[in-house]
Amino acid sequence: MNGRLTLASGVEMPLVGLGTWPLTGDEARAAVHHALAAGYRLIDTSEQYANERDVGRAVRDSGVPREDIFLSTKFNARWQGRDLVARACDNALRRLGTDHLDLFLIHWPNPWLDRYVDAWHGLIALRDEGRVRAIGVSNFLPAHIDRLIAETGVPPEVNQVELDPTLPREELRAYHAARGIATEAWGPLGRDGRLLRHPIVVELAERHRRTPAQIILRWHVELGLAFTARSSDPARIAQNIELFDFALSRDDLAVMGRLDEGRPPARDPESHGH
Ligand SMILES: NC(=O)c1ccc[n+]([C@@H]2O[C@H](COP(=O)([O-])OP(=O)(O)OC[C@H]3O[C@@H](n4cnc5c(N)ncnc54)[C@H](OP(=O)(O)O)[C@@H]3O)[C@@H](O)[C@H]2O)c1
């Protein structure tokens, strides 16, 4: 079973996604194949990952009807412009071998270019034309989203950001919730594999008879977050969606609150992007 959330436009988005960076070629195709077979319906890719062709091929070869799959991709800085976004979409559709995107994201704000509002106008037009079902952003800070809303009146449906129990982004989640923006976590298992070995996570895993990864991913589900978890191992891919036959209690979540390291995200969107 796979949980879902409803985006502001009414489009339904699965909570459990397969992340595909840095997988390419056979490895990317195999991961998508195993994920779809295990029940995933959200696949996350990007122009930057150079694997959209592989992802698209695996989706087409899967036998799963296209309309059952939520295909999400992102475009790079050079397409940040009202009309350029339409070309970015054409290119993504061609590489993925499909006729529509379920979610199209501005990958990074690149604020020094000062073009993300133009890009947002372009995304709104694509959604109006029906080539893209839902539109959003990635790695945006509240100040960037404030500008999108002030200058277009249209909030993003999704902001995909680095988020895990060591970096819970509580203020950002509250900001999103107040504006009807869904939060999607990248790097949901935490940086460097350390969180998977943390005594709090290991103890909860033993008590619930689950793996540490399942405890962490269930934490995302409990918070109502969508996430993109990446693995190239078929057993781990399957394990990462087996999250809907157990729950974390209020006490479990309170204990996991101690995992917050109070650190900033790995990359500052004011100075990093592509
Ligand atoms: N929007 C953005 O700017 C942005 C930036 C970075 C990433 N992303 C997206 O987010 C996705 C996920 O981020 P990520 O790949 O950095 O981190 P992640 O999914 O949190 O972690 C991936 C790591 O966890 C391991 N792993 C996965 N499942 C496991 C399990 N059940 N047990 C133990 N280890 C497990 C994987 O190794 P194995 O392969 O060996 O299982 C891999 O080393 C990316 O693939 C990409 O799609 C987006």
Side-chain angles (χ1 to χ4, degrees), residues 12-29:
E12 285 203 355
M13 174 173 173
L15 296 183
V16 179
L18 177 77
T20 61
W21 174 85
L23 311 175
T24 55
D26 288 348
E27 211 182 8
R29 288 198 293 276

Side-chain angles (χ1 to χ4, degrees), residues 8-273:
S9 61
V11 169
E12 285 203 355
M13 174 173 173
L15 296 183
V16 179
L18 177 77
T20 61
W21 174 85
L23 311 175
T24 55
D26 288 348
E27 211 182 8
R29 288 198 293 276
V32 173
H33 164 83
H34 290 299
L36 291 172
Y40 288 62
R41 291 297 176 261
L42 163 59
I43 310 291
D44 177 77
T45 179
S46 148
E47 174 184 13
Q48 180 72 9
Y49 305 165
N51 63 12
E52 288 173 310
R53 283 191 178 80
D54 303 305
V55 167
R57 168 118 64 97
V59 163
R60 288 194 303 282
D61 290 350
S62 69
V64 178
R66 172 68 185 87
E67 61 270 24
D68 291 353
I69 297 174
F70 191 97
L71 201 47
S72 175
T73 192
K74 323 178 189 78
F75 60 88
N76 279 344
R78 65 185 160 140
W79 306 110
Q80 287 198 2
R82 252 178 223 241
D83 300 330
L84 290 172
V85 172
R87 283 174 56 197
C89 182
D90 288 339
N91 294 340
L93 291 174
R94 195 185 59 249
R95 287 189 298 260
L96 286 160
T98 187
D99 63 355
H100 71 280
L101 301 174
D102 296 284
L103 181 62
F104 205 21
L105 305 174
I106 304 176
H107 203 146
W108 288 89
N110 300 292
W112 53 91
L113 298 175
D114 195 20
R115 292 210 310 255
Y116 61 81
V117 178
D118 288 339
W120 189 240
H121 279 290
L123 278 177
I124 294 167
L126 284 178
R127 187 176 62 183
D128 289 346
E129 290 161 16
R131 300 168 73 206
V132 169
R133 293 175 69 225
I135 55 177
V137 296
S138 181
N139 302 301
F140 271 48
L141 300 174
H144 307 135
I145 297 176
D146 282 344
R147 265 196 76 195
L148 297 185
I149 297 173
E151 296 185 34
T152 71
V154 179
E157 296 181 68
V158 174
N159 188 14
Q160 184 187 103
V161 294
E162 185 190 8
L163 195 158
D164 69 78
T166 69
L167 178 66
R169 316 283 304 255
E170 216 161 300
E171 270 181 40
L172 182 65
R173 284 191 282 116
Y175 172 91
H176 289 164
R179 289 159 185 79
I181 301 167
T183 306
E184 182 181 21
W186 67 256
L189 294 168
R191 230 184 283 171
D192 309 330
R194 279 183 300 124
L195 183 58
L196 289 157
R197 298 188 296 271
H198 194 288
I200 287 179
V201 174
V202 171
E203 193 276 324
L204 283 169
E206 283 166 6
R207 190 146 49 76
H208 285 277
R209 298 179 196 281
R210 304 286 156 167
T211 66
Q214 287 174 316
I215 297 298
I216 298 166
L217 296 176
R218 180 71 206 187
W219 174 89
H220 290 272
V221 170
E222 299 289 354
L223 268 56
L225 309 174
F227 64 80
T228 63
R230 180 251 315 176
S231 177
S232 34
D233 177 78
R236 287 176 174 176
I237 289 172
Q239 174 192 123
N240 291 351
I241 196 172
E242 286 163 7
L243 306 173
F244 298 95
D245 57 354
F246 77 107
L248 297 173
S249 69
R250 193 187 292 242
D251 287 350
D252 294 338
L253 292 172
V255 171
M256 288 185 78
R258 301 212 301 264
L259 296 166
D260 184 354
E261 292 176 353
R263 64 175 167 93
R267 298 183 202 112
D268 181 0
E270 293 292 355
S271 55
H272 175 93

